[in-house]
mmCIF file of all heavy atoms in Angstrom:
data_model
loop_
_atom_site.group_PDB
_atom_site.id
_atom_site.type_symbol
_atom_site.label_atom_id
_atom_site.label_comp_id
_atom_site.label_asym_id
_atom_site.label_seq_id
_atom_site.Cartn_x
_atom_site.Cartn_y
_atom_site.Cartn_z
ATOM 1 N N LEU A 10 -13.914 24.377 63.334
ATOM 2 C CA LEU A 10 -15.283 24.624 63.496
ATOM 3 C C LEU A 10 -16.066 25.003 62.206
ATOM 4 O O LEU A 10 -17.135 24.545 61.923
ATOM 5 C CB LEU A 10 -15.562 25.748 64.568
ATOM 6 C CG LEU A 10 -15.221 25.452 65.997
ATOM 7 C CD1 LEU A 10 -15.679 26.597 66.905
ATOM 8 C CD2 LEU A 10 -15.790 24.214 66.481
ATOM 9 N N LEU A 11 -15.427 25.897 61.460
ATOM 10 C CA LEU A 11 -16.057 26.361 60.180
ATOM 11 C C LEU A 11 -15.887 25.383 59.000
ATOM 12 O O LEU A 11 -16.818 25.047 58.290
ATOM 13 C CB LEU A 11 -15.524 27.720 59.741
ATOM 14 C CG LEU A 11 -16.112 28.311 58.394
ATOM 15 C CD1 LEU A 11 -17.607 28.445 58.478
ATOM 16 C CD2 LEU A 11 -15.388 29.556 58.142
ATOM 17 N N GLN A 12 -14.669 24.864 58.927
ATOM 18 C CA GLN A 12 -14.382 23.934 57.697
ATOM 19 C C GLN A 12 -15.085 22.591 57.784
ATOM 20 O O GLN A 12 -15.331 21.981 56.738
ATOM 21 C CB GLN A 12 -12.863 23.818 57.482
ATOM 22 C CG GLN A 12 -12.481 23.287 56.162
ATOM 23 C CD GLN A 12 -11.112 23.401 55.871
ATOM 24 O OE1 GLN A 12 -10.280 23.556 56.741
ATOM 25 N NE2 GLN A 12 -10.715 23.363 54.562
ATOM 26 N N THR A 13 -15.222 22.118 58.991
ATOM 27 C CA THR A 13 -15.785 20.763 59.113
ATOM 28 C C THR A 13 -17.113 20.623 58.438
ATOM 29 O O THR A 13 -17.362 19.696 57.695
ATOM 30 C CB THR A 13 -15.829 20.305 60.702
ATOM 31 O OG1 THR A 13 -14.503 20.209 61.126
ATOM 32 C CG2 THR A 13 -16.523 18.970 60.739
ATOM 33 N N PRO A 14 -18.133 21.490 58.788
ATOM 34 C CA PRO A 14 -19.456 21.315 58.068
ATOM 35 C C PRO A 14 -19.413 21.586 56.656
ATOM 36 O O PRO A 14 -20.177 20.933 55.861
ATOM 37 C CB PRO A 14 -20.329 22.370 58.842
ATOM 38 C CG PRO A 14 -19.395 23.366 59.483
ATOM 39 C CD PRO A 14 -18.251 22.536 59.803
ATOM 40 N N ILE A 15 -18.435 22.524 56.233
ATOM 41 C CA ILE A 15 -18.277 22.697 54.779
ATOM 42 C C ILE A 15 -17.719 21.549 54.086
ATOM 43 O O ILE A 15 -18.219 21.076 52.968
ATOM 44 C CB ILE A 15 -17.424 23.955 54.579
ATOM 45 C CG1 ILE A 15 -18.107 25.258 55.067
ATOM 46 C CG2 ILE A 15 -17.060 24.109 53.099
ATOM 47 C CD1 ILE A 15 -17.327 26.443 54.946
ATOM 48 N N MET A 16 -16.831 20.864 54.684
ATOM 49 C CA MET A 16 -16.178 19.612 54.103
ATOM 50 C C MET A 16 -17.197 18.471 54.002
ATOM 51 O O MET A 16 -17.283 17.768 52.998
ATOM 52 C CB MET A 16 -14.966 19.212 54.925
ATOM 53 C CG MET A 16 -13.754 20.013 54.747
ATOM 54 S SD MET A 16 -12.997 19.962 53.104
ATOM 55 C CE MET A 16 -12.301 18.340 53.210
ATOM 56 N N ALA A 17 -18.030 18.416 55.107
ATOM 57 C CA ALA A 17 -19.067 17.365 55.100
ATOM 58 C C ALA A 17 -20.063 17.630 54.035
ATOM 59 O O ALA A 17 -20.450 16.609 53.329
ATOM 60 C CB ALA A 17 -19.763 17.368 56.458
ATOM 61 N N LEU A 18 -20.440 18.868 53.806
ATOM 62 C CA LEU A 18 -21.333 19.143 52.686
ATOM 63 C C LEU A 18 -20.791 18.927 51.327
ATOM 64 O O LEU A 18 -21.455 18.425 50.425
ATOM 65 C CB LEU A 18 -21.805 20.702 52.869
ATOM 66 C CG LEU A 18 -22.898 21.182 51.988
ATOM 67 C CD1 LEU A 18 -24.137 20.409 52.345
ATOM 68 C CD2 LEU A 18 -23.090 22.686 52.155
ATOM 69 N N TYR A 19 -19.421 19.204 51.225
ATOM 70 C CA TYR A 19 -18.789 18.971 50.003
ATOM 71 C C TYR A 19 -18.699 17.467 49.618
ATOM 72 O O TYR A 19 -19.006 17.057 48.482
ATOM 73 C CB TYR A 19 -17.351 19.521 50.085
ATOM 74 C CG TYR A 19 -16.397 19.175 48.942
ATOM 75 C CD1 TYR A 19 -16.502 19.796 47.720
ATOM 76 C CD2 TYR A 19 -15.441 18.097 49.141
ATOM 77 C CE1 TYR A 19 -15.631 19.388 46.644
ATOM 78 C CE2 TYR A 19 -14.656 17.771 48.082
ATOM 79 C CZ TYR A 19 -14.701 18.417 46.801
ATOM 80 O OH TYR A 19 -13.924 18.069 45.752
ATOM 81 N N TYR A 20 -18.358 16.650 50.564
ATOM 82 C CA TYR A 20 -18.289 15.258 50.319
ATOM 83 C C TYR A 20 -19.660 14.656 50.037
ATOM 84 O O TYR A 20 -19.824 13.746 49.176
ATOM 85 C CB TYR A 20 -17.697 14.510 51.546
ATOM 86 C CG TYR A 20 -16.214 14.331 51.536
ATOM 87 C CD1 TYR A 20 -15.385 15.440 51.674
ATOM 88 C CD2 TYR A 20 -15.582 13.113 51.292
ATOM 89 C CE1 TYR A 20 -14.051 15.280 51.626
ATOM 90 C CE2 TYR A 20 -14.190 12.971 51.272
ATOM 91 C CZ TYR A 20 -13.469 14.045 51.435
ATOM 92 O OH TYR A 20 -12.111 13.978 51.359
ATOM 93 N N GLN A 21 -20.648 15.211 50.647
ATOM 94 C CA GLN A 21 -22.029 14.701 50.439
ATOM 95 C C GLN A 21 -22.620 15.145 49.106
ATOM 96 O O GLN A 21 -23.143 14.323 48.295
ATOM 97 C CB GLN A 21 -22.974 15.196 51.567
ATOM 98 C CG GLN A 21 -24.435 14.732 51.365
ATOM 99 C CD GLN A 21 -25.365 15.190 52.439
ATOM 100 O OE1 GLN A 21 -24.887 15.953 53.404
ATOM 101 N NE2 GLN A 21 -26.627 14.898 52.393
ATOM 102 N N MET A 22 -22.459 16.422 48.757
ATOM 103 C CA MET A 22 -23.080 16.904 47.506
ATOM 104 C C MET A 22 -22.184 16.701 46.274
ATOM 105 O O MET A 22 -22.791 16.367 45.233
ATOM 106 C CB MET A 22 -23.249 18.495 47.617
ATOM 107 C CG MET A 22 -24.252 18.845 48.788
ATOM 108 S SD MET A 22 -24.542 20.669 48.843
ATOM 109 C CE MET A 22 -25.135 21.066 47.136
ATOM 110 N N MET A 23 -20.934 16.769 46.343
ATOM 111 C CA MET A 23 -19.997 16.684 45.204
ATOM 112 C C MET A 23 -19.409 15.283 44.975
ATOM 113 O O MET A 23 -19.177 14.920 43.808
ATOM 114 C CB MET A 23 -18.843 17.650 45.350
ATOM 115 C CG MET A 23 -19.339 19.096 45.647
ATOM 116 S SD MET A 23 -20.352 19.796 44.305
ATOM 117 C CE MET A 23 -19.239 19.993 43.000
ATOM 118 N N LEU A 24 -19.236 14.518 46.073
ATOM 119 C CA LEU A 24 -18.599 13.235 45.876
ATOM 120 C C LEU A 24 -19.472 12.068 46.252
ATOM 121 O O LEU A 24 -19.159 10.965 46.041
ATOM 122 C CB LEU A 24 -17.333 13.178 46.706
ATOM 123 C CG LEU A 24 -16.262 14.177 46.510
ATOM 124 C CD1 LEU A 24 -15.050 14.059 47.448
ATOM 125 C CD2 LEU A 24 -15.815 14.188 44.998
ATOM 126 N N GLY A 25 -20.641 12.394 46.912
ATOM 127 C CA GLY A 25 -21.553 11.346 47.346
ATOM 128 C C GLY A 25 -20.987 10.420 48.404
ATOM 129 O O GLY A 25 -21.268 9.283 48.424
ATOM 130 N N LYS A 26 -20.113 10.937 49.216
ATOM 131 C CA LYS A 26 -19.525 10.168 50.293
ATOM 132 C C LYS A 26 -19.750 10.786 51.604
ATOM 133 O O LYS A 26 -20.052 11.959 51.794
ATOM 134 C CB LYS A 26 -17.969 10.021 50.039
ATOM 135 C CG LYS A 26 -17.639 9.373 48.743
ATOM 136 C CD LYS A 26 -16.059 9.355 48.629
ATOM 137 C CE LYS A 26 -15.645 8.675 47.269
ATOM 138 N NZ LYS A 26 -14.157 8.762 47.162
ATOM 139 N N SER A 27 -19.460 9.962 52.707
ATOM 140 C CA SER A 27 -19.488 10.470 54.046
ATOM 141 C C SER A 27 -18.149 10.960 54.415
ATOM 142 O O SER A 27 -17.076 10.417 54.123
ATOM 143 C CB SER A 27 -19.913 9.298 55.060
ATOM 144 O OG SER A 27 -19.765 9.821 56.397
ATOM 145 N N TYR A 28 -18.166 12.045 55.214
ATOM 146 C CA TYR A 28 -16.842 12.709 55.596
ATOM 147 C C TYR A 28 -16.406 12.319 56.952
ATOM 148 O O TYR A 28 -15.333 12.655 57.459
ATOM 149 C CB TYR A 28 -17.061 14.262 55.614
ATOM 150 C CG TYR A 28 -15.802 15.065 55.922
ATOM 151 C CD1 TYR A 28 -14.640 14.963 55.061
ATOM 152 C CD2 TYR A 28 -15.753 15.833 57.081
ATOM 153 C CE1 TYR A 28 -13.549 15.685 55.400
ATOM 154 C CE2 TYR A 28 -14.555 16.580 57.353
ATOM 155 C CZ TYR A 28 -13.512 16.465 56.476
ATOM 156 O OH TYR A 28 -12.402 17.196 56.882
ATOM 157 N N THR A 29 -17.182 11.447 57.573
ATOM 158 C CA THR A 29 -16.926 11.059 59.029
ATOM 159 C C THR A 29 -15.443 10.491 59.194
ATOM 160 O O THR A 29 -14.703 10.866 60.132
ATOM 161 C CB THR A 29 -17.834 9.958 59.425
ATOM 162 O OG1 THR A 29 -19.206 10.514 59.316
ATOM 163 C CG2 THR A 29 -17.636 9.669 60.931
ATOM 164 N N TRP A 30 -14.964 9.660 58.222
ATOM 165 C CA TRP A 30 -13.654 8.917 58.436
ATOM 166 C C TRP A 30 -12.535 9.903 58.213
ATOM 167 O O TRP A 30 -11.373 9.761 58.659
ATOM 168 C CB TRP A 30 -13.621 7.853 57.454
ATOM 169 C CG TRP A 30 -14.541 6.742 57.796
ATOM 170 C CD1 TRP A 30 -15.719 6.457 57.110
ATOM 171 C CD2 TRP A 30 -14.452 5.754 58.872
ATOM 172 N NE1 TRP A 30 -16.374 5.327 57.767
ATOM 173 C CE2 TRP A 30 -15.591 4.933 58.854
ATOM 174 C CE3 TRP A 30 -13.519 5.528 59.811
ATOM 175 C CZ2 TRP A 30 -15.822 3.881 59.714
ATOM 176 C CZ3 TRP A 30 -13.750 4.529 60.787
ATOM 177 C CH2 TRP A 30 -14.890 3.676 60.709
ATOM 178 N N PHE A 31 -12.796 11.027 57.488
ATOM 179 C CA PHE A 31 -11.671 11.951 57.185
ATOM 180 C C PHE A 31 -11.594 13.066 58.229
ATOM 181 O O PHE A 31 -10.642 13.864 58.220
ATOM 182 C CB PHE A 31 -11.934 12.573 55.835
ATOM 183 C CG PHE A 31 -11.969 11.605 54.664
ATOM 184 C CD1 PHE A 31 -13.197 10.979 54.295
ATOM 185 C CD2 PHE A 31 -10.824 11.100 54.092
ATOM 186 C CE1 PHE A 31 -13.230 10.047 53.263
ATOM 187 C CE2 PHE A 31 -10.828 10.165 53.011
ATOM 188 C CZ PHE A 31 -12.075 9.647 52.698
ATOM 189 N N ASN A 32 -12.633 13.268 59.052
ATOM 190 C CA ASN A 32 -12.774 14.426 59.887
ATOM 191 C C ASN A 32 -11.761 14.416 61.049
ATOM 192 O O ASN A 32 -11.002 15.393 61.263
ATOM 193 C CB ASN A 32 -14.123 14.546 60.528
ATOM 194 C CG ASN A 32 -14.476 15.807 61.166
ATOM 195 O OD1 ASN A 32 -13.849 16.812 60.888
ATOM 196 N ND2 ASN A 32 -15.305 15.820 62.085
ATOM 197 N N LEU A 33 -11.670 13.279 61.805
ATOM 198 C CA LEU A 33 -10.767 13.237 62.966
ATOM 199 C C LEU A 33 -9.321 13.421 62.564
ATOM 200 O O LEU A 33 -8.668 14.221 63.240
ATOM 201 C CB LEU A 33 -10.974 11.944 63.699
ATOM 202 C CG LEU A 33 -10.244 11.762 64.980
ATOM 203 C CD1 LEU A 33 -10.646 12.846 65.944
ATOM 204 C CD2 LEU A 33 -10.605 10.406 65.629
ATOM 205 N N PRO A 34 -8.805 12.657 61.553
ATOM 206 C CA PRO A 34 -7.324 12.915 61.164
ATOM 207 C C PRO A 34 -7.061 14.395 60.859
ATOM 208 O O PRO A 34 -5.998 14.904 61.220
ATOM 209 C CB PRO A 34 -7.162 12.054 59.991
ATOM 210 C CG PRO A 34 -8.194 10.990 60.101
ATOM 211 C CD PRO A 34 -9.352 11.611 60.710
ATOM 212 N N ARG A 35 -7.973 15.030 60.133
ATOM 213 C CA ARG A 35 -7.835 16.496 59.792
ATOM 214 C C ARG A 35 -7.720 17.332 61.043
ATOM 215 O O ARG A 35 -6.937 18.349 61.181
ATOM 216 C CB ARG A 35 -8.959 16.860 58.916
ATOM 217 C CG ARG A 35 -8.682 18.382 58.383
ATOM 218 C CD ARG A 35 -9.840 18.793 57.520
ATOM 219 N NE ARG A 35 -11.074 18.798 58.215
ATOM 220 C CZ ARG A 35 -11.504 19.844 58.976
ATOM 221 N NH1 ARG A 35 -10.688 20.887 59.145
ATOM 222 N NH2 ARG A 35 -12.648 19.726 59.650
ATOM 223 N N ILE A 36 -8.626 17.069 61.996
ATOM 224 C CA ILE A 36 -8.593 17.854 63.260
ATOM 225 C C ILE A 36 -7.399 17.585 64.066
ATOM 226 O O ILE A 36 -6.805 18.572 64.573
ATOM 227 C CB ILE A 36 -9.908 17.498 64.069
ATOM 228 C CG1 ILE A 36 -11.138 18.034 63.361
ATOM 229 C CG2 ILE A 36 -9.767 17.990 65.478
ATOM 230 C CD1 ILE A 36 -12.387 17.631 64.021
ATOM 231 N N ILE A 37 -6.918 16.491 64.140
ATOM 232 C CA ILE A 37 -5.694 16.091 64.884
ATOM 233 C C ILE A 37 -4.529 16.759 64.259
ATOM 234 O O ILE A 37 -3.649 17.303 64.947
ATOM 235 C CB ILE A 37 -5.486 14.540 64.942
ATOM 236 C CG1 ILE A 37 -6.611 13.900 65.838
ATOM 237 C CG2 ILE A 37 -4.057 14.236 65.504
ATOM 238 C CD1 ILE A 37 -6.556 12.395 65.859
ATOM 239 N N LYS A 38 -4.521 16.811 62.915
ATOM 240 C CA LYS A 38 -3.459 17.506 62.132
ATOM 241 C C LYS A 38 -3.334 18.940 62.505
ATOM 242 O O LYS A 38 -2.307 19.517 62.741
ATOM 243 C CB LYS A 38 -3.643 17.293 60.671
ATOM 244 C CG LYS A 38 -2.662 17.990 59.789
ATOM 245 C CD LYS A 38 -3.011 17.679 58.324
ATOM 246 C CE LYS A 38 -1.918 18.379 57.399
ATOM 247 N NZ LYS A 38 -2.194 18.184 56.012
ATOM 248 N N ASN A 39 -4.499 19.630 62.676
ATOM 249 C CA ASN A 39 -4.550 21.043 62.883
ATOM 250 C C ASN A 39 -4.077 21.218 64.428
ATOM 251 O O ASN A 39 -3.275 22.206 64.633
ATOM 252 C CB ASN A 39 -6.011 21.542 62.807
ATOM 253 C CG ASN A 39 -6.257 22.072 61.444
ATOM 254 O OD1 ASN A 39 -5.839 23.136 61.004
ATOM 255 N ND2 ASN A 39 -6.932 21.300 60.641
ATOM 256 N N LEU A 40 -4.394 20.419 65.265
ATOM 257 C CA LEU A 40 -3.911 20.498 66.638
ATOM 258 C C LEU A 40 -2.439 20.300 66.754
ATOM 259 O O LEU A 40 -1.705 21.048 67.528
ATOM 260 C CB LEU A 40 -4.660 19.452 67.576
ATOM 261 C CG LEU A 40 -6.130 19.662 67.796
ATOM 262 C CD1 LEU A 40 -6.601 18.511 68.607
ATOM 263 C CD2 LEU A 40 -6.363 21.004 68.478
ATOM 264 N N VAL A 41 -1.908 19.378 66.022
ATOM 265 C CA VAL A 41 -0.438 19.150 66.057
ATOM 266 C C VAL A 41 0.348 20.242 65.438
ATOM 267 O O VAL A 41 1.452 20.641 65.959
ATOM 268 C CB VAL A 41 -0.193 17.760 65.395
ATOM 269 C CG1 VAL A 41 1.379 17.531 65.287
ATOM 270 C CG2 VAL A 41 -0.709 16.627 66.206
ATOM 271 N N LEU A 42 -0.126 20.777 64.389
ATOM 272 C CA LEU A 42 0.514 21.826 63.594
ATOM 273 C C LEU A 42 0.525 23.138 64.245
ATOM 274 O O LEU A 42 1.347 24.043 64.121
ATOM 275 C CB LEU A 42 -0.092 22.023 62.179
ATOM 276 C CG LEU A 42 0.333 20.851 61.201
ATOM 277 C CD1 LEU A 42 -0.297 21.132 59.840
ATOM 278 C CD2 LEU A 42 1.846 20.741 60.998
ATOM 279 N N PHE A 43 -0.549 23.397 65.182
ATOM 280 C CA PHE A 43 -0.738 24.761 65.788
ATOM 281 C C PHE A 43 0.528 25.287 66.357
ATOM 282 O O PHE A 43 0.943 26.397 66.039
ATOM 283 C CB PHE A 43 -1.891 24.736 66.731
ATOM 284 C CG PHE A 43 -1.903 25.834 67.645
ATOM 285 C CD1 PHE A 43 -2.112 27.111 67.137
ATOM 286 C CD2 PHE A 43 -1.688 25.679 68.980
ATOM 287 C CE1 PHE A 43 -2.043 28.221 68.011
ATOM 288 C CE2 PHE A 43 -1.665 26.767 69.929
ATOM 289 C CZ PHE A 43 -1.842 28.087 69.328
ATOM 290 N N PRO A 44 1.216 24.665 67.286
ATOM 291 C CA PRO A 44 2.344 25.292 67.971
ATOM 292 C C PRO A 44 3.520 25.497 66.950
ATOM 293 O O PRO A 44 4.189 26.528 67.004
ATOM 294 C CB PRO A 44 2.800 24.232 68.995
ATOM 295 C CG PRO A 44 2.153 22.970 68.624
ATOM 296 C CD PRO A 44 0.914 23.349 67.895
ATOM 297 N N PHE A 45 3.746 24.628 65.988
ATOM 298 C CA PHE A 45 4.739 24.843 64.932
ATOM 299 C C PHE A 45 4.424 26.058 64.086
ATOM 300 O O PHE A 45 5.326 26.912 63.839
ATOM 301 C CB PHE A 45 4.940 23.620 64.092
ATOM 302 C CG PHE A 45 5.329 22.360 64.822
ATOM 303 C CD1 PHE A 45 4.487 21.424 65.244
ATOM 304 C CD2 PHE A 45 6.672 22.226 65.117
ATOM 305 C CE1 PHE A 45 4.898 20.222 65.837
ATOM 306 C CE2 PHE A 45 7.192 21.074 65.764
ATOM 307 C CZ PHE A 45 6.246 20.063 66.121
ATOM 308 N N GLU A 46 3.226 26.201 63.646
ATOM 309 C CA GLU A 46 2.792 27.270 62.806
ATOM 310 C C GLU A 46 2.939 28.524 63.566
ATOM 311 O O GLU A 46 3.374 29.560 63.062
ATOM 312 C CB GLU A 46 1.431 27.097 62.341
ATOM 313 C CG GLU A 46 1.275 25.953 61.371
ATOM 314 C CD GLU A 46 -0.248 25.641 60.963
ATOM 315 O OE1 GLU A 46 -1.121 26.023 61.778
ATOM 316 O OE2 GLU A 46 -0.403 25.166 59.865
ATOM 317 N N ALA A 47 2.551 28.577 64.843
ATOM 318 C CA ALA A 47 2.573 29.767 65.685
ATOM 319 C C ALA A 47 4.002 30.228 65.864
ATOM 320 O O ALA A 47 4.353 31.457 65.752
ATOM 321 C CB ALA A 47 1.998 29.576 66.995
ATOM 322 N N VAL A 48 4.921 29.333 66.154
ATOM 323 C CA VAL A 48 6.385 29.776 66.427
ATOM 324 C C VAL A 48 6.958 30.258 65.049
ATOM 325 O O VAL A 48 7.657 31.302 65.108
ATOM 326 C CB VAL A 48 7.117 28.565 66.861
ATOM 327 C CG1 VAL A 48 8.608 28.822 66.910
ATOM 328 C CG2 VAL A 48 6.670 28.184 68.335
ATOM 329 N N LEU A 49 6.699 29.643 64.021
ATOM 330 C CA LEU A 49 7.266 30.022 62.659
ATOM 331 C C LEU A 49 6.691 31.306 62.289
ATOM 332 O O LEU A 49 7.442 32.155 61.664
ATOM 333 C CB LEU A 49 6.997 28.956 61.602
ATOM 334 C CG LEU A 49 7.822 27.658 61.681
ATOM 335 C CD1 LEU A 49 7.423 26.711 60.623
ATOM 336 C CD2 LEU A 49 9.310 27.989 61.569
ATOM 337 N N LEU A 50 5.422 31.556 62.604
ATOM 338 C CA LEU A 50 4.857 32.881 62.259
ATOM 339 C C LEU A 50 5.459 34.004 62.999
ATOM 340 O O LEU A 50 5.675 35.140 62.484
ATOM 341 C CB LEU A 50 3.335 32.906 62.436
ATOM 342 C CG LEU A 50 2.530 34.115 61.971
ATOM 343 C CD1 LEU A 50 2.776 34.298 60.507
ATOM 344 C CD2 LEU A 50 1.068 33.828 62.250
#
């Protein structure tokens, strides 16, 4: 929730690119990693 708009702003202001194509894989990655990270923690 917090990092997505910040990343979109970063890509737009600093790189001049759209963040749309990078957003979904990053979100899926966080969902997949959650149970592994929780158990290891």
Side-chain angles (χ1 to χ4, degrees):
L10 292 188
L11 178 60
Q12 193 168 22
T13 295
I15 293 177
M16 289 292 289
L18 191 63
Y19 170 77
Y20 269 72
Q21 181 182 359
M22 294 182 61
M23 307 299 291
L24 304 179
K26 300 178 181 179
S27 172
Y28 183 62
T29 304
W30 294 104
F31 301 92
N32 190 26
L33 185 58
R35 184 183 62 83
I36 289 177
I37 293 175
K38 179 180 177 180
N39 273 281
L40 292 176
V41 172
L42 285 179
F43 162 65
F45 296 99
E46 291 174 335
V48 170
L49 287 176
L50 187 57

